């Protein structure tokens, strides 16, 4: 009876590491808060977040053209994203100044995560297009996922689960407090 493949492999314990390494699951949001309006940026969460206070929007830092924000559905503690203020879908659509600041904020996020959490490594990247797994394909965002040996420090691996708001609030403050200003 237990030799059925589905029984052997279909309902095993969730494997957080497998999830972490599965790029198509690197979505910001699944099934909620997706843009719904007719306009280019109607209902886009990445367009509406900057209008909120940092604490409410989980914004870690604001630049001139991009901002850093915590992911509501993190793959690891401290999983954040660098997002251009401008509603742009494709990386090639970024102008030079946006490209430069997005890269600069990626570096700052790495430094802040190392300072705050002692991250050993990072997974960094963008999903371009819904086919590639972008949860909000219409507004590009660079994921920065800190990694630790064993991924047990700082916070538990949460594997695409919405974590407690207070945990996110604490994480945001920790990173904002050590965000490099230069
Ligand atoms: Zn947008």
């Amino acid at each position: 009876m237990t030799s059925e493949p589905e029984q052997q492999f279909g309902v095993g314990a969730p494997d957080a590491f497998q999830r972490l390494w599965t790029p198509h699951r690197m979505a910001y949001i699944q099934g909620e808060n997706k843009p719904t309006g007719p306009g280019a940026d109607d209902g886009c969460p990445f367009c509406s977040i900057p209008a909120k206070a940092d604490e409410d929007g989980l914004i870690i830092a604001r630049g001139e053209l991009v901002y850093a924000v915590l992911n509501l559905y993190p793959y690891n503690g401290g999983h954040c994203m660098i997002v251009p203020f401008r509603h742009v879908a494709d990386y090639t659509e970024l102008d030079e100044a946006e490209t430069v600041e997005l890269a600069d904020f990626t570096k700052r996020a790495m430094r802040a995560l190392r300072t705050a959490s002692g991250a050993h490594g990072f997974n960094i990247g963008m999903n371009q297009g819904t086919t590639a797994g972008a949860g909000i394909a219409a507004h590009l965002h660079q994921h920065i996922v800190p990694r630790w040996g064993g991924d047990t420090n700082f916070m538990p691996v949460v594997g695409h689960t919405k974590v407690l708001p207070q945990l996110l609030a604490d994480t945001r403050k920790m990173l904002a407090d050590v965000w490099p200003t230069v």
Side-chain angles (χ1 to χ4, degrees):
M1 289 299 186
T2 55
S3 62
E4 292 286 334
E6 285 179 1
Q7 289 180 307
Q8 282 188 322
F9 303 115
V11 291
D15 184 336
F17 290 92
Q18 186 61 43
R19 293 187 191 186
L20 191 64
W21 286 102
T22 306
H24 71 270
R25 296 188 67 117
M26 293 278 283
Y28 174 59
I29 289 167
Q30 284 189 331
E32 60 176 286
N33 298 332
K34 291 196 176 188
T36 54
D41 58 356
D42 282 353
C44 173
F46 293 131
C47 284
S48 61
I49 286 171
K52 301 178 180 178
D54 287 359
E55 290 78 7
D56 295 333
L58 295 174
I59 295 172
I60 300 163
R62 299 172 192 255
E64 291 183 26
L65 302 168
V66 307
Y67 65 97
V69 61
L70 275 186
N71 194 312
L72 280 175
Y73 300 85
Y75 278 82
N76 226 348
H79 177 180
C80 59
M81 298 170 293
I82 311 301
V83 189
F85 288 118
R86 194 161 63 94
H87 186 84
V88 170
D90 199 88
Y91 186 56
T92 63
E93 297 175 62
L94 290 182
D95 65 24
E96 188 170 343
E98 288 167 332
T99 302
V100 168
E101 195 173 44
L102 187 137
D104 178 60
F105 260 47
T106 300
K107 294 180 184 177
R108 293 187 200 213
M110 290 175 65
R111 293 198 203 106
L113 285 161
R114 284 195 174 116
T115 301
S117 69
H120 297 152
F122 300 91
N123 294 111
I124 295 173
M126 306 177 205
N127 298 321
Q128 290 282 274
T130 305
T131 304
I136 306 294
H139 196 142
L140 79 84
H141 45 285
Q142 167 116 298
H143 292 273
I144 301 167
V145 181
R147 303 298 304 273
W148 298 270
D151 281 334
T152 55
N153 294 332
F154 189 47
M155 282 173 200
V157 173
V158 289
H160 212 267
T161 303
K162 194 169 185 178
V163 299
L164 295 173
Q166 188 56 47
L167 191 61
L168 289 170
D170 291 346
T171 303
R172 187 211 70 81
K173 186 174 189 318
M174 286 172 67
L175 294 173
D177 286 348
V178 299
W179 186 262
T181 53
V182 290

